């Protein structure tokens, strides 16, 4: 039996994949290469691997940033299996691996490795990334994404080597991806050249795709999501379809198990919050009220600066504990909003006005932008929402000479209010926990219930809350409120001009 090889590719971010090697291949940044490496330091045609007399040779194609083998710049060399080869000063590390296992042994090993996902205790985001990486590696494909059903719609959760607009980055239309999800019938194309119907599409020639796999994530016949994988190389050693579908099924089981575990944890936390709120928080607040009264009297009755200093420290702690108690009560309590009609511009500018001095101290400019309009909200509760979001925006923009923009506009069926800053941004792994009770990020004195309460208030208004953030580039919080079923949430004045104002 002929010796079999595979190429292990590790990028600078730690993403690893393997590619079967059965013939000569070219690696580079342009789409026509057999193996596409998307890092900007890689040349359009960077490296050629060629099989000569049962040995693999690696040749650098006169690149700008070079290739390195045994710490020497590479020209052309016979590549020893197991010896790393670096591209562009570490953008990628390649390793040639000799395979001594049969195809059946490889499939069994892949199934066992995937089954380990069921035993690991990781959060959902990490599990999704591990699952997609595992499927890319096992299939030998280059690119892919994984979507899950969320709030009745398929939503992209993780992707590899694709642009932000998935529709324009893949050959299949999104309607075809949704059809795979709805029918449970996978798309299984190992060589596009054999699919005459697909070859008639111009997009297939532009993307130069050879392999397209799209499979549903199913659990006992119930669809959870869909995984899409593709490659610009045909798979010359076809995957065992039954084995691969079994691996995808194991990923689906691991995903659902982790998701249910996180939901159970959230339910347990919410139940605990309710129990605490109903049993001790009121008594706790009464004790704080007495403590504050005595601290106030002690501070007023003495001129001793040291004693007055300690009294103020006591009062600061009392205020923080009081706020925490109120947050717990507000979060645990379900209430119908007491709606009133307010002028949204006047309402928001009144909230921002007392924040202007602090914003000036932080070097941040507050700005509003939007039409004159009337909106029906619970003024007290919606004030808490905006104060919490604006305080977070100011904290994130501190010392960055930035801007916080509060804007609003009419959308189909209601109103959208946006708070956008140019601050530090929020890490991706933090965003998914931002509404989790008692989770705090970036605040030493935070109670951890601020954003959870904000989300609860917006949902009590029948609205939605969305975070868009990127580290180093800022955050945008989007509140969408629907029309009130009786009188309407939103009404634009006939004299609306869409004016904007800088608050000073």
């Amino acid at each position: 039996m002929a010796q079999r090889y595979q190429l292990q590719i590790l990028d600078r971010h730690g993403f690893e994949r393997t590619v079967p090697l059965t013939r000569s291949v070219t690696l580079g940044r342009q789409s026509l290469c057999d193996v596409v490496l998307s890092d900007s330091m890689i040349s359009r045609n960077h490296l050629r691997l060629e099989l000569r007399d049962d040995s693999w040779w690696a040749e650098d194609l006169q690149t700008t940033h070079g290739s390195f083998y045994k710490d020497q710049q590479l020209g052309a060399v016979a590549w020893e299996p197991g010896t790393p080869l670096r591209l562009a000063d570490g953008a990628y590390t390649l390793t040639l691996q000799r395979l001594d296992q049969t195809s059946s042994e490889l499939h069994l090993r892949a199934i066992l490795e995937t089954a380990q996902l069921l035993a690991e205790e990781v959060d959902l985001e990490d599990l999704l990334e591990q699952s997609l990486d595992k499927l890319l590696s096992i299939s030998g494909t280059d690119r892919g994404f994984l979507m899950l059903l969320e709030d009745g719609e398929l939503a992209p959760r993780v992707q590899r080597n694709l642009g932000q607009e998935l529709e324009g980055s893949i050959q299949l239309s999104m309607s075809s991806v949704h059809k795979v999800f709805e029918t449970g019938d996978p798309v299984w194309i190992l060589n596009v050249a054999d699919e005459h119907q697909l070859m008639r599409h111009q997009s297939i020639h532009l993307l130069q795709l050879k392999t397209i796999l799209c499979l549903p994530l199913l659990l006992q016949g119930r669809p959870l999501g869909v995984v899409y994988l593709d490659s610009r190389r045909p798979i010359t050693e076809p995957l065992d379809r039954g084995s691969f579908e079994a691996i995808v099924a194991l990923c689906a089981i691991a995903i659902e198990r982790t998701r249910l575990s996180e939901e159970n944890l959230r339910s347990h936390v919410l139940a605990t919050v309710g129990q605490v709120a109903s049993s001790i928080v009121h008594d706790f607040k009464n004790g704080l009220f007495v403590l504050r009264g005595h601290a106030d009297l002690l501070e007023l009755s003495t001129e001793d600066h040291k004693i007055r200093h300690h009294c103020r420290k006591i009062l600061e702690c009392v205020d923080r504990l009081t706020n925490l108690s109120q947050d717990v009560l507000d979060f645990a309590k379900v209430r119908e909003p007491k709606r009133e009609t307010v002028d949204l511009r006047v309402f928001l500018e009144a909230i921002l006005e007392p924040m202007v001095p602090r914003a000036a101290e932080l070097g941040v400019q507050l700005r509003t932008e939007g039409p004159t309009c009337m909106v029906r909200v619970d003024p007290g509760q919606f004030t808490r929402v905006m104060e919490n979001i604006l305080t977070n925006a100011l904290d994130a923009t501190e010392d960055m000479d930035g801007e916080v923009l509060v804007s609003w506009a009419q959308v189909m069926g209601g109103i959208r209010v946006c708070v956008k800053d140019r601050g530090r941004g929020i890490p991706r792994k933090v965003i998914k926990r931002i509404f989790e009770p008692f989770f705090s990020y970036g605040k030493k004195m935070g109670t951890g219930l601020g954003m959870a309460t904000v989300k609860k208030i917006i949902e009590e208004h029948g609205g939605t809350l969305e975070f868009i953030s990127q580290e180093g580039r800022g955050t945008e919080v989007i509140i969408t409120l629907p029309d009130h079923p009786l009188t309407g949430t939103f009404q634009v004045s006939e004299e609306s001009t869409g004016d904007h104002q800088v608050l000073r």
Side-chain angles (χ1 to χ4, degrees), residues 377-393:
V377 294
D378 184 320
Q381 294 300 303
F382 205 70
T383 296
R384 291 198 66 191
V385 166
M386 296 306 301
E387 285 178 344
N388 198 298
I389 294 173
L390 286 164
T391 298
N392 290 342

Side-chain angles (χ1 to χ4, degrees), residues 298-299 302-312:
L298 183 59
E299 184 181 16
T302 181
E303 297 296 328
D304 188 311
H305 293 294
K306 187 174 291 187
I307 294 177
R308 292 173 68 89
H309 168 77
H310 290 306
C311 288
R312 283 193 291 273

Side-chain angles (χ1 to χ4, degrees), residues 4 13 80 122 133 218 235 289 294 296 322 378 387 395 461 491:
R4 301 166 65 243
H13 306 293
E80 299 174 11
V122 296
D133 291 348
L218 298 172
I235 296 179
F289 179 77
H294 285 288
D296 280 334
T322 300
D378 184 320
E387 285 178 344
D395 289 342
H461 279 74
Q491 181 179 358

Side-chain angles (χ1 to χ4, degrees), residues 46-76:
H46 198 103
L47 189 75
R48 179 167 176 78
L49 302 180
E50 186 175 359
L51 184 60
R52 305 177 190 169
D53 299 327
D54 296 328
S55 296
W56 282 94
W57 283 71
E59 179 184 1
D60 183 86
L61 301 177
Q62 299 181 346
T63 59
T64 303
H65 297 288
S67 305
F68 301 86
Y69 182 71
K70 295 184 177 179
D71 295 327
Q72 299 294 321
Q73 189 152 356
L74 176 68

Side-chain angles (χ1 to χ4, degrees), residues 465-479:
L465 190 63
E466 180 182 4
F467 267 75
I468 301 174
S469 187
Q470 187 173 352
E471 284 190 90
R473 302 189 64 176
T475 300
E476 183 174 14
V477 183
I478 303 171
I479 300 169

Side-chain angles (χ1 to χ4, degrees), residues 437-449:
F438 299 113
F439 174 76
S440 183
Y441 171 74
K443 286 186 175 182
K444 294 180 180 178
M445 303 297 288
T447 64
L449 281 173

Side-chain angles (χ1 to χ4, degrees), residues 103-104 106-108 111 138-139 188 190 213 215 235 237-248:
S103 178
S104 298
L106 289 172
H107 288 144
L108 179 58
I111 290 174
I138 293 170
S139 64
W188 186 267
L190 299 181
L213 307 177
L215 297 94
I235 296 179
E237 287 195 19
L239 291 163
D240 178 76
R241 181 167 174 173
S243 298
F244 193 73
E245 289 182 344
I247 290 169
V248 173

